[in-house]
Amino acid sequence: MSAAHEAGPALYHALAGWWPLMSSPADYEEEAGLFGGILAERVPDRRSLLELGSGGGNNASHMKVAFERVTLVDVAPGMVEVSRALNPECEHHVGDMRSVRLGEMFDCVFIHDAICYMTTVEDLRRAVETAWVHCRPGGVALFVPDYVAETFRPDTSSGGHDGEDRALRYLAWSWDPDPADTTFLVDYAYLLRDPEGGTRVVHDRHEEGLFPQAAWEATLREIGFTPEVVRVDHSEVDYPLLAFVGRRPA
């Protein structure tokens, strides 16, 4: 039994090469369509997309067809390499969504569940500011956290996939040891089967942010966005999944 790497969750660092067996691009088809639809309704003339916290590029593999130019940024170099293999036509950068500055603007900025790794209101504010800096006037930024404080509940899930010569299965357990703070925990147990048939177990703890809906809306307003809350109806989510749209005034 091994634990997370000091630089962050093992899944995104030491185990980044296993990501396609943890979560395949096909798993993202429905949600990428939903998020792409939200952007399309609000920016019909969209041509460029920036995704912050793009991970292994699964969302981008579906969303990129609607844009002339897609730029992907993630803090974990290993995940960026996974995404490069999946999305070779997209521009990639290694960078932290709280501080990265690319020196250009986009019609749409998108942050999916990587926003959950903002564990303080200040972290969240900095990520939203990065989205603002890269969003053109009249454009929109879309943020999709797994939960807000009002919708969180403890949960367990499992999954994984077989590859050509190795396989992964996981159990994820979400729980909140202190409802008074702005974080919750997700403990993962991975079973990793190598090409020789050997199997090892890795425990990986992820600390994630949890903020009230009002804090989200207030943060978007503070940075300058006009906020909009959108309920996303996803077939695999049985609680209210809220997306936050920020429009940058023209």
Coordinates of all heavy atoms in Angstrom, one line a residue, residues 179-231:
P179 N -17.5 20.0 8.6 CA -18.4 20.8 7.8 C -18.3 22.3 8.0 O -18.8 23.1 7.2 CB -19.8 20.3 8.2 CG -19.5 18.9 8.8 CD -18.1 19.0 9.4
A180 N -17.5 22.7 9.0 CA -17.4 24.2 9.2 C -16.3 24.8 8.4 O -16.3 26.1 8.3 CB -17.1 24.4 10.7
D181 N -15.5 24.0 7.7 CA -14.4 24.6 6.9 C -14.8 24.6 5.4 O -15.9 24.3 5.1 CB -13.1 24.0 7.2 CG -13.0 22.5 6.7 OD1 -13.9 22.1 5.9 OD2 -12.0 21.9 7.0
T182 N -13.9 24.9 4.5 CA -14.1 25.1 3.1 C -13.6 23.9 2.3 O -13.3 24.1 1.1 CB -13.6 26.4 2.6 OG1 -12.2 26.4 2.7 CG2 -14.2 27.6 3.3
T183 N -13.4 22.7 2.9 CA -12.8 21.6 2.2 C -13.6 20.3 2.5 O -14.3 20.2 3.5 CB -11.3 21.4 2.5 OG1 -11.2 21.0 3.9 CG2 -10.5 22.6 2.3
F184 N -13.4 19.4 1.6 CA -13.8 18.0 1.9 C -12.7 17.1 1.4 O -11.8 17.5 0.7 CB -15.2 17.6 1.3 CG -15.3 17.6 -0.2 CD1 -15.2 16.4 -0.9 CD2 -15.4 18.7 -1.0 CE1 -15.3 16.3 -2.2 CE2 -15.4 18.7 -2.4 CZ -15.4 17.5 -3.0
L185 N -12.8 15.8 1.6 CA -11.8 14.8 1.2 C -12.4 13.8 0.3 O -13.5 13.4 0.4 CB -11.2 14.1 2.5 CG -10.5 15.0 3.5 CD1 -10.0 14.2 4.7 CD2 -9.3 15.8 2.8
V186 N -11.5 13.3 -0.6 CA -11.9 12.2 -1.4 C -10.7 11.2 -1.3 O -9.6 11.5 -1.7 CB -12.1 12.5 -2.9 CG1 -12.6 11.3 -3.7 CG2 -13.1 13.7 -3.1
D187 N -11.0 10.1 -0.7 CA -10.0 9.0 -0.6 C -10.1 8.0 -1.7 O -11.2 7.5 -1.9 CB -10.1 8.3 0.8 CG -9.4 9.1 1.9 OD1 -8.3 9.5 1.7 OD2 -10.1 9.3 2.9
Y188 N -9.1 7.8 -2.5 CA -9.1 6.9 -3.6 C -8.3 5.6 -3.2 O -7.2 5.8 -2.7 CB -8.5 7.5 -4.9 CG -9.4 8.5 -5.6 CD1 -9.3 9.8 -5.2 CD2 -10.3 8.1 -6.6 CE1 -10.1 10.8 -5.9 CE2 -11.1 9.0 -7.2 CZ -11.0 10.4 -6.9 OH -11.7 11.3 -7.5
A189 N -8.8 4.5 -3.6 CA -8.0 3.2 -3.6 C -7.9 2.7 -5.0 O -8.9 2.5 -5.6 CB -8.6 2.2 -2.7
Y190 N -6.7 2.6 -5.5 CA -6.5 2.1 -6.9 C -5.9 0.7 -6.8 O -4.9 0.5 -6.1 CB -5.5 3.0 -7.7 CG -5.7 4.5 -7.6 CD1 -4.7 5.3 -7.1 CD2 -6.9 5.1 -8.0 CE1 -4.8 6.7 -7.0 CE2 -7.0 6.5 -7.9 CZ -6.0 7.3 -7.4 OH -6.2 8.6 -7.3
L191 N -6.4 -0.2 -7.6 CA -5.8 -1.5 -7.9 C -5.2 -1.4 -9.3 O -5.9 -1.2 -10.3 CB -6.9 -2.6 -7.9 CG -7.3 -3.1 -6.5 CD1 -8.6 -3.9 -6.6 CD2 -6.2 -3.9 -5.9
L192 N -3.9 -1.6 -9.4 CA -3.2 -1.4 -10.6 C -2.6 -2.8 -11.0 O -1.7 -3.3 -10.2 CB -2.0 -0.4 -10.4 CG -2.4 1.0 -9.9 CD1 -1.2 1.8 -9.6 CD2 -3.4 1.7 -10.8
R193 N -3.0 -3.3 -12.1 CA -2.5 -4.6 -12.6 C -1.5 -4.4 -13.7 O -1.8 -3.7 -14.8 CB -3.6 -5.5 -13.1 CG -3.2 -6.9 -13.4 CD -4.4 -7.8 -13.7 NE -4.9 -7.4 -15.0 CZ -6.2 -7.5 -15.4 NH1 -7.1 -8.0 -14.6 NH2 -6.6 -7.2 -16.6
D194 N -0.3 -4.8 -13.6 CA 0.8 -4.6 -14.6 C 0.8 -5.6 -15.7 O 0.1 -6.6 -15.6 CB 2.1 -4.5 -13.9 CG 2.5 -5.7 -13.1 OD1 2.2 -6.8 -13.7 OD2 3.2 -5.6 -12.1
P195 N 1.6 -5.5 -16.7 CA 1.6 -6.4 -17.8 C 2.0 -7.9 -17.4 O 1.6 -8.8 -18.1 CB 2.7 -5.8 -18.7 CG 2.7 -4.4 -18.5 CD 2.5 -4.3 -17.0
E196 N 2.7 -8.0 -16.3 CA 3.1 -9.3 -15.9 C 2.0 -10.0 -15.0 O 2.2 -11.1 -14.6 CB 4.4 -9.3 -15.1 CG 5.7 -9.0 -15.9 CD 5.7 -7.6 -16.4 OE1 5.3 -6.7 -15.6 OE2 6.0 -7.4 -17.6
G197 N 0.9 -9.3 -14.7 CA -0.2 -9.8 -14.0 C -0.1 -9.5 -12.5 O -1.0 -9.9 -11.7
G198 N 1.0 -8.8 -12.1 CA 1.1 -8.4 -10.7 C 0.1 -7.2 -10.4 O -0.1 -6.4 -11.2
T199 N -0.4 -7.2 -9.2 CA -1.3 -6.1 -8.8 C -0.8 -5.4 -7.5 O -0.3 -6.1 -6.6 CB -2.7 -6.7 -8.5 OG1 -3.2 -7.4 -9.7 CG2 -3.7 -5.7 -8.1
R200 N -0.9 -4.1 -7.5 CA -0.6 -3.3 -6.3 C -1.7 -2.4 -6.0 O -2.5 -2.1 -6.8 CB 0.7 -2.6 -6.5 CG 0.7 -1.5 -7.6 CD 2.1 -1.0 -7.8 NE 2.2 -0.1 -9.0 CZ 2.4 1.2 -9.0 NH1 2.4 1.8 -7.8 NH2 2.5 1.9 -10.1
V201 N -1.7 -1.9 -4.8 CA -2.8 -1.0 -4.3 C -2.1 0.3 -3.9 O -1.1 0.3 -3.2 CB -3.5 -1.6 -3.0 CG1 -4.6 -0.7 -2.6 CG2 -4.1 -3.0 -3.4
V202 N -2.8 1.4 -4.3 CA -2.3 2.7 -3.9 C -3.5 3.5 -3.3 O -4.6 3.5 -3.8 CB -1.8 3.5 -5.2 CG1 -1.4 4.9 -4.8 CG2 -0.7 2.8 -5.9
H203 N -3.2 4.1 -2.1 CA -4.2 5.0 -1.5 C -3.7 6.4 -1.8 O -2.6 6.8 -1.8 CB -4.2 4.8 0.0 CG -4.9 5.9 0.7 ND1 -4.3 6.7 1.7 CD2 -6.2 6.4 0.6 CE1 -5.2 7.6 2.1 NE2 -6.3 7.4 1.5
D204 N -4.7 7.2 -2.2 CA -4.4 8.6 -2.7 C -5.5 9.5 -2.2 O -6.7 9.4 -2.5 CB -4.5 8.6 -4.3 CG -3.9 9.8 -4.9 OD1 -3.1 10.5 -4.2 OD2 -4.2 10.1 -6.1
R205 N -5.1 10.5 -1.3 CA -6.1 11.4 -0.7 C -6.1 12.7 -1.4 O -5.0 13.3 -1.7 CB -5.7 11.6 0.8 CG -6.6 12.7 1.4 CD -6.5 12.7 2.9 NE -7.3 11.6 3.4 CZ -7.5 11.3 4.7 NH1 -7.0 12.1 5.6 NH2 -8.3 10.3 5.1
H206 N -7.2 13.2 -1.8 CA -7.4 14.5 -2.5 C -8.2 15.4 -1.6 O -9.3 15.1 -1.1 CB -8.2 14.3 -3.8 CG -7.6 13.4 -4.8 ND1 -7.5 13.8 -6.2 CD2 -6.9 12.3 -4.7 CE1 -6.9 12.8 -6.8 NE2 -6.5 11.9 -6.0
E207 N -7.7 16.6 -1.3 CA -8.4 17.6 -0.5 C -9.0 18.6 -1.5 O -8.3 19.1 -2.4 CB -7.4 18.3 0.4 CG -8.2 19.4 1.3 CD -7.2 20.1 2.2 OE1 -6.1 20.3 1.8 OE2 -7.7 20.4 3.3
E208 N -10.3 18.8 -1.4 CA -11.0 19.6 -2.4 C -11.8 20.7 -1.7 O -12.2 20.6 -0.6 CB -11.9 18.7 -3.3 CG -11.1 17.6 -4.0 CD -11.9 16.8 -5.0 OE1 -12.9 17.3 -5.4 OE2 -11.4 15.8 -5.4
G209 N -12.0 21.8 -2.5 CA -12.7 23.0 -2.0 C -14.2 22.8 -2.0 O -14.8 22.1 -2.9
L210 N -14.9 23.5 -1.1 CA -16.4 23.4 -0.9 C -16.9 24.8 -0.5 O -16.7 25.1 0.7 CB -16.7 22.3 0.1 CG -18.2 21.9 0.1 CD1 -18.7 21.3 -1.2 CD2 -18.4 20.8 1.2
F211 N -17.6 25.5 -1.4 CA -18.0 26.8 -1.1 C -19.5 27.0 -1.3 O -20.1 26.3 -2.2 CB -17.2 27.8 -2.0 CG -15.8 27.6 -2.0 CD1 -15.1 27.0 -3.0 CD2 -15.0 28.1 -0.9 CE1 -13.7 26.8 -3.0 CE2 -13.6 27.9 -0.9 CZ -13.0 27.3 -1.9
P212 N -20.2 27.8 -0.5 CA -21.6 28.1 -0.8 C -21.8 28.7 -2.2 O -20.9 29.4 -2.7 CB -22.0 29.0 0.3 CG -20.9 28.9 1.4 CD -19.7 28.6 0.6
Q213 N -23.0 28.5 -2.7 CA -23.3 29.1 -4.0 C -23.1 30.6 -3.9 O -22.6 31.2 -4.9 CB -24.8 28.8 -4.3 CG -25.3 29.4 -5.6 CD -26.7 29.1 -6.0 OE1 -27.2 28.0 -5.6 NE2 -27.4 29.9 -6.7
A214 N -23.5 31.2 -2.8 CA -23.4 32.7 -2.7 C -21.9 33.1 -2.8 O -21.6 34.2 -3.4 CB -24.0 33.2 -1.4
A215 N -21.0 32.4 -2.3 CA -19.6 32.7 -2.4 C -19.1 32.6 -3.8 O -18.3 33.5 -4.2 CB -18.8 31.8 -1.5
W216 N -19.6 31.7 -4.6 CA -19.3 31.6 -6.0 C -19.7 32.9 -6.7 O -19.0 33.5 -7.4 CB -19.9 30.4 -6.6 CG -19.1 29.1 -6.5 CD1 -19.2 28.2 -5.5 CD2 -18.1 28.7 -7.4 NE1 -18.3 27.2 -5.7 CE2 -17.6 27.5 -6.9 CE3 -17.5 29.2 -8.5 CZ2 -16.6 26.8 -7.5 CZ3 -16.5 28.5 -9.1 CH2 -16.0 27.3 -8.6
E217 N -21.0 33.2 -6.5 CA -21.5 34.3 -7.2 C -20.8 35.6 -6.8 O -20.5 36.5 -7.7 CB -23.0 34.4 -7.0 CG -23.8 33.2 -7.6 CD -25.3 33.4 -7.3 OE1 -25.9 34.3 -7.9 OE2 -25.8 32.6 -6.5
A218 N -20.5 35.8 -5.5 CA -19.9 37.0 -5.0 C -18.5 37.1 -5.6 O -18.0 38.2 -6.0 CB -19.8 37.0 -3.5
T219 N -17.8 36.0 -5.7 CA -16.4 36.0 -6.3 C -16.4 36.4 -7.7 O -15.6 37.2 -8.2 CB -15.7 34.6 -6.1 OG1 -15.7 34.3 -4.7 CG2 -14.3 34.6 -6.7
L220 N -17.3 35.8 -8.5 CA -17.4 36.2 -9.9 C -17.7 37.7 -10.0 O -17.1 38.4 -10.9 CB -18.5 35.4 -10.6 CG -18.0 34.2 -11.4 CD1 -17.5 33.1 -10.4 CD2 -19.1 33.6 -12.2
R221 N -18.6 38.3 -9.2 CA -18.9 39.7 -9.3 C -17.7 40.5 -8.9 O -17.4 41.6 -9.5 CB -20.1 40.0 -8.3 CG -21.5 39.6 -8.9 CD -22.6 40.2 -8.1 NE -23.9 39.6 -8.4 CZ -24.4 38.6 -7.8 NH1 -23.8 38.1 -6.7 NH2 -25.6 38.1 -8.1
E222 N -17.0 40.1 -7.8 CA -15.8 40.8 -7.3 C -14.8 41.0 -8.5 O -14.2 42.1 -8.6 CB -15.2 40.1 -6.2 CG -13.9 40.7 -5.6 CD -13.2 39.8 -4.7 OE1 -13.8 38.9 -4.2 OE2 -12.0 40.1 -4.4
I223 N -14.6 40.0 -9.2 CA -13.6 40.0 -10.3 C -14.1 40.8 -11.5 O -13.2 41.4 -12.2 CB -13.2 38.6 -10.7 CG1 -12.6 37.8 -9.5 CG2 -12.3 38.6 -11.9 CD1 -11.4 38.5 -8.9
G224 N -15.4 40.9 -11.7 CA -15.9 41.7 -12.8 C -16.9 41.0 -13.7 O -17.5 41.7 -14.5
F225 N -17.0 39.7 -13.5 CA -18.0 39.0 -14.3 C -19.4 39.3 -13.9 O -19.7 39.6 -12.7 CB -17.8 37.5 -14.1 CG -16.6 36.9 -14.8 CD1 -15.5 36.4 -14.1 CD2 -16.5 36.9 -16.2 CE1 -14.4 35.8 -14.7 CE2 -15.4 36.3 -16.9 CZ -14.3 35.8 -16.1
T226 N -20.3 39.1 -14.9 CA -21.8 39.1 -14.6 C -22.1 37.6 -14.4 O -22.0 36.8 -15.4 CB -22.6 39.7 -15.7 OG1 -22.2 41.1 -15.9 CG2 -24.1 39.6 -15.4
P227 N -22.5 37.2 -13.2 CA -22.7 35.7 -12.9 C -24.0 35.2 -13.3 O -25.0 36.0 -13.3 CB -22.5 35.6 -11.4 CG -22.9 36.9 -10.9 CD -22.6 38.0 -11.9
E228 N -24.1 34.0 -13.7 CA -25.3 33.2 -14.0 C -25.1 31.8 -13.5 O -24.1 31.2 -13.7 CB -25.5 33.2 -15.5 CG -26.8 32.4 -15.9 CD -26.9 32.2 -17.4 OE1 -26.0 32.7 -18.2 OE2 -27.8 31.5 -17.9
V229 N -26.1 31.3 -12.8 CA -26.1 29.9 -12.3 C -26.9 29.0 -13.2 O -28.1 29.4 -13.5 CB -26.6 29.9 -10.9 CG1 -26.5 28.4 -10.3 CG2 -25.9 30.8 -10.0
V230 N -26.4 27.9 -13.7 CA -27.0 27.0 -14.6 C -27.1 25.6 -13.9 O -26.1 25.1 -13.5 CB -26.3 26.9 -15.9 CG1 -27.0 26.0 -16.9 CG2 -26.2 28.3 -16.6
R231 N -28.3 25.1 -13.9 CA -28.4 23.7 -13.4 C -28.1 22.7 -14.6 O -28.8 22.9 -15.7 CB -29.7 23.4 -12.8 CG -29.9 21.9 -12.4 CD -31.0 21.7 -11.5 NE -31.2 20.2 -11.3 CZ -31.9 19.7 -10.3 NH1 -32.5 20.5 -9.4 NH2 -32.0 18.4 -10.1

